[in-house]
Amino acid sequence: MNLKRPVQFVLFTALALSACGGGEMSLTEYVDRLNVIVERARQQYEGLTTSGQGGVLIAEGDQLAGFTPRDLQIALQRVREIEREVEEATAAIDPPEPVAELHNLFFDFDDEFITAQEALAVRAGTAADWNELSASPETAAYRSALAADKQHCFDVQAEVNLIGEQGETFADTPWIPSALQGIFEVGLGCDGYPENPEDLYRPAPVSGS
C-alpha cells in the first residue's frame, strides 16, 4: 500500500492472550481496542486515496496533471481529521504497564510534521498550479518534515525489533521474547513513505516544444 505518510498505523493482531495482572486493562482488551481504532483509520484512509479527489495523496510526477492543488488541500484536511480521531482515541487509552512505553512510542504524534502538513494544505488552496505549489516554502518545509518523519518511523521500527529480540520490556511476563512478534504484528508502514520525499508533489517537467 503506497501511502504518502501513514496515519501512524500500528497494526496489532488480536490474539487470545491470557490476562496479565496489574493495571485495569488486560493486554487482550488493549489489543482489541487498538485494533478497532487503527482498522477504522485504515479503512478511512484507503477510502480517501481510492476516491477520485483523494487519489492526489499518492499521485506522482505526471499523475498530478489529473488533479489540482485544491484537491490536495481538501485531501490533506481529511487526512488531518483521520489523524485527529486516532490521536484522541489512543490518548484515551490507559495501556497496561508492560506496553505503556511501546504505546507512547507508537502514538507519538509529531507536532512539527502536523504543523507543516497543515501549512501545506493552506498553501495548496491558494496555489495557481503545481509548479507554484512545488516551489513554495510550505512544500519545502513539508518535504523536510516528511523525510524526518520517515527516518523516525524506521528508528521506531528498529527499536521495536530490538525489544522483540531482547524481550526486555516483557521480562516479567510469562512470554518468551520470540513470542513478542506473534503478539504484536507491528506494521508501522515505513515502506509506505515515498522513496524520495524531496520530490513530493513535484510535477513532471514539461517537454520542450
Side-chain angles (χ1 to χ4, degrees):
M1 186 165 54
N2 182 20
L3 306 181
K4 288 300 181 187
R5 193 259 182 178
V7 189
Q8 289 289 343
F9 290 152
V10 184
L11 307 180
F12 292 88
T13 300
L15 302 179
L17 305 177
S18 57
C20 294
E24 297 182 359
M25 179 183 292
S26 71
L27 285 167
T28 302
E29 293 168 334
Y30 172 71
V31 171
D32 285 345
R33 283 189 63 179
L34 285 182
N35 273 329
V36 171
I37 294 169
V38 299
E39 178 60 18
R40 173 177 167 79
R42 184 191 65 79
Q43 292 179 1
Q44 290 175 324
Y45 191 86
E46 288 191 351
L48 176 60
T49 58
T50 55
S51 67
Q53 192 177 59
V56 67
L57 292 168
I58 56 175
E60 298 179 352
D62 56 8
Q63 296 173 343
L64 291 172
F67 303 95
T68 68
R70 172 62 176 162
D71 292 331
L72 179 61
Q73 179 189 36
I74 295 172
L76 286 176
Q77 289 172 338
R78 178 60 185 134
V79 166
R80 186 66 197 113
E81 291 174 359
I82 297 171
E83 290 173 337
R84 190 174 293 110
E85 287 183 20
V86 174
E87 291 174 22
E88 293 175 353
T90 55
I93 293 177
D94 184 14
E97 183 59 30
V99 295
E101 184 176 350
L102 286 178
H103 179 87
N104 294 332
L105 187 66
F106 291 145
F107 297 105
D108 177 20
F109 290 88
D110 186 349
D111 290 339
E112 183 176 346
F113 177 87
I114 291 172
T115 297
Q117 177 180 271
E118 291 176 336
L120 176 62
V122 173
R123 185 67 180 89
T126 64
D129 54 35
W130 288 110
N131 286 315
E132 179 182 326
L133 182 61
S134 179
S136 70
E138 290 84 0
T139 300
Y142 181 76
R143 289 167 178 159
S144 177
L146 183 66
D149 199 57
K150 177 181 179 180
Q151 183 58 54
H152 174 71
C153 185
F154 282 107
D155 289 344
V156 169
Q157 184 68 75
E159 186 167 345
V160 169
N161 291 342
L162 182 61
I163 292 173
E165 293 169 3
Q166 296 179 347
E168 295 176 353
T169 300
F170 297 91
D172 296 329
T173 70
W175 313 321
I176 59 175
S178 62
L180 184 60
Q181 292 301 325
I183 294 167
F184 294 109
E185 286 294 331
V186 183
L188 289 171
C190 299
D191 292 335
Y193 285 81
E195 183 177 357
N196 300 304
E198 67 273 12
D199 291 331
L200 192 64
Y201 304 129
R202 191 187 305 278
V206 178
S207 302
S209 55

